[in-house]
Amino acid sequence: MKKRIAVLVSLISLTLSAQTFAHFQLIYTPDAALENGGKIPLALVFTHPFDAGHTMDMGTPEQFFVLQTRGENPVKKMDLLDALVPISWQSLTNSGKAFKTDYTARGGDHIFCLVPDPYFEAEEDSYIQQMTKVIINVGGIPGAWMEPAGLPAEIVPLSKPYDRWTGNVFQGKVLYNGQPVPGAEIEIEHLNHEPLIARNAFASGPAVKAPQSSFELQTKFADDNGIFTFGIPKAGWWGFAALGLDEDATHKGKPCSKDAVIWIKAVDM
Amino acid sequence: MKPLKILMVLFAFGLFFTGICQAHTPLFSCFDNGDGSITCEGGFSDGSSAAGVAVRVVDKDGKVLMKDKLDKFSEYTVKKPAQEFSVIFDAGEGHQIKVPGKEIF
């Protein structure tokens, strides 16, 4: 009996561990490369993107802003925190507190940056804070997509994040407080259920079915310079999360995983 | 200069200019400001500035209604003509873009 209990505890622990690692802060908008400017929707959801599973309650973010940058012009920063509207986002298993807004985009790069309120993970008695970026472009004139946005933890793209064909590679550099993080652990997930932004919900049907759970959440490590490379196997949004970039970080006296997340969108040729 | 050398020099120049053309695709977009004016933004696909590039507003027959140059931010703001019009970004031969007024939102 003792052996059975030990095995059961071990299995539960593994399951919880897998769920924990699959948390992904999402900044969603339908397209990354737009031909024309105009109003675009944005949704901030803390979820499990591959299976559209358990969606966590978000607190009011610490920061949400956009860096507008076109050509050689100076970067303009616009605070978007006050524009956020609280919503309830429906996953396939529950609903969670999230946020939504509309944004008017003109030409150039728009680098959306989110510093969320740390999320308390009761099972681990610790916090998670995933600093998240997504970069979109209008009209094709690039801006400062390759420059750090100044987040405490961030992934800086080395490949233009909105010009990737399916089959290209994406390269990024993991920074913590502006310094590269050698050997950073990076988890990768496909946004496998289309977000139906008008309904604040994920579509029930997945884009792909994984043959085994390892394929749902891919893992790799950055090199000695904090750089990683990923071959993009399918069109759509892909999320990259560099985890636990500061082993000593705490929040309210408990450990806090400081993570950096970036989303990119690939399209088929 | 021997013919072979001349050919090599011409070939090198050809490569050089091809490179420039491919690396500098001109881009031009215009937006309706909703206050009776439009703003046009110019640039190149490598992010280089288009400040000083000529812009013209023309009517449907090509008659120039207004002309100017993009400012230091590679932008041009102008009152929206009442008649049918287009805005032309003119960075030289092969680098011209025409945006019809009816496509400016």
Side-chain angles (χ1 to χ4, degrees), chain A residues 198-252:
Chain A
R199 289 170 46 192
N200 299 340
F202 287 116
S204 57
V208 295
K209 286 189 177 177
Q212 192 248 28
S213 61
S214 304
F215 295 87
E216 297 179 6
L217 177 71
Q218 297 179 280
T219 305
K220 69 191 319 174
F221 291 88
D223 67 13
D224 291 346
N225 298 308
I227 292 171
F228 68 90
T229 304
F230 177 75
I232 307 164
K234 186 169 178 63
W237 285 100
W238 288 86
F240 303 83
L243 305 175
L245 301 179
D246 182 353
E247 290 180 356
D248 301 322
T250 58
H251 180 72
K252 294 182 178 175

Side-chain angles (χ1 to χ4, degrees), chain A:
Chain A
M1 187 63 185
K2 275 184 181 174
K3 193 177 174 184
R4 278 189 186 173
I5 290 171
V7 168
L8 194 60
V9 167
S10 173
L11 280 173
I12 290 171
S13 167
L14 273 176
T15 307
L16 290 177
S17 174
Q19 284 176 348
T20 302
F21 286 155
H23 291 19
F24 260 84
Q25 178 64 56
L26 177 64
I27 303 175
Y28 177 74
T29 189
D31 293 302
L34 297 108
E35 187 63 34
N36 299 306
K39 194 177 280 188
I40 62 166
L42 293 163
L44 315 183
V45 185
F46 192 32
T47 190
H48 295 78
F50 190 88
D51 58 5
H54 186 74
T55 293
M56 286 66 70
D57 285 338
M58 286 182 68
T60 302
E62 291 181 4
Q63 297 180 52
F64 183 51
F65 60 91
V66 62
L67 301 177
Q68 300 168 332
T69 154
R70 178 171 52 82
E72 298 171 7
N73 292 347
V75 176
K76 292 183 200 168
K77 182 178 179 178
M78 182 190 287
D79 188 24
L80 298 175
L81 200 55
D82 290 342
L84 291 178
V85 177
I87 57 165
S88 179
W89 188 270
Q90 187 68 44
S91 78
L92 300 192
T93 59
N94 77 326
S95 63
K97 292 177 184 171
F99 293 91
K100 205 166 158 179
T101 191
D102 287 325
Y103 171 78
T104 301
R106 287 195 168 184
D109 289 347
H110 302 263
I111 305 170
F112 297 98
C113 300
L114 171 66
V115 180
D117 186 36
Y119 173 79
F120 183 63
E121 182 66 77
E123 288 89 348
E124 300 211 340
D125 196 30
S126 63
Y127 287 87
I128 302 169
Q129 188 178 36
Q130 296 198 329
M131 282 148 267
T132 303
K133 277 198 329 197
V134 67
I135 303 169
I136 69 154
N137 176 270
V138 177
I141 300 173
W145 56 265
M146 74 301 281
E147 300 291 340
L151 295 173
E154 71 174 304
I155 294 174
V156 178
L158 300 180
S159 320
K160 197 184 274 182
Y162 49 79
D163 76 355
R164 300 291 91 184
W165 295 109
T166 310
N168 281 162
V169 298
F170 172 71
Q171 272 197 318
K173 188 172 194 175
V174 181
L175 300 182
Y176 187 70
N177 287 334
Q179 298 302 310
V181 183
E185 181 181 2
I186 294 139
E187 294 190 332
I188 302 149
E189 279 202 30
H190 184 53
L191 185 56
N192 197 31
H193 291 253
E194 183 190 359
L196 306 172
I197 208 158
R199 289 170 46 192
N200 299 340
F202 287 116
S204 57
V208 295
K209 286 189 177 177
Q212 192 248 28
S213 61
S214 304
F215 295 87
E216 297 179 6
L217 177 71
Q218 297 179 280
T219 305
K220 69 191 319 174
F221 291 88
D223 67 13
D224 291 346
N225 298 308
I227 292 171
F228 68 90
T229 304
F230 177 75
I232 307 164
K234 186 169 178 63
W237 285 100
W238 288 86
F240 303 83
L243 305 175
L245 301 179
D246 182 353
E247 290 180 356
D248 301 322
T250 58
H251 180 72
K252 294 182 178 175
K254 296 181 185 295
C256 182
S257 181
K258 299 282 187 179
D259 305 343
V261 173
I262 192 168
W263 286 90
I264 68 154
K265 186 175 184 182
V267 299
D268 288 333
M269 286 195 88

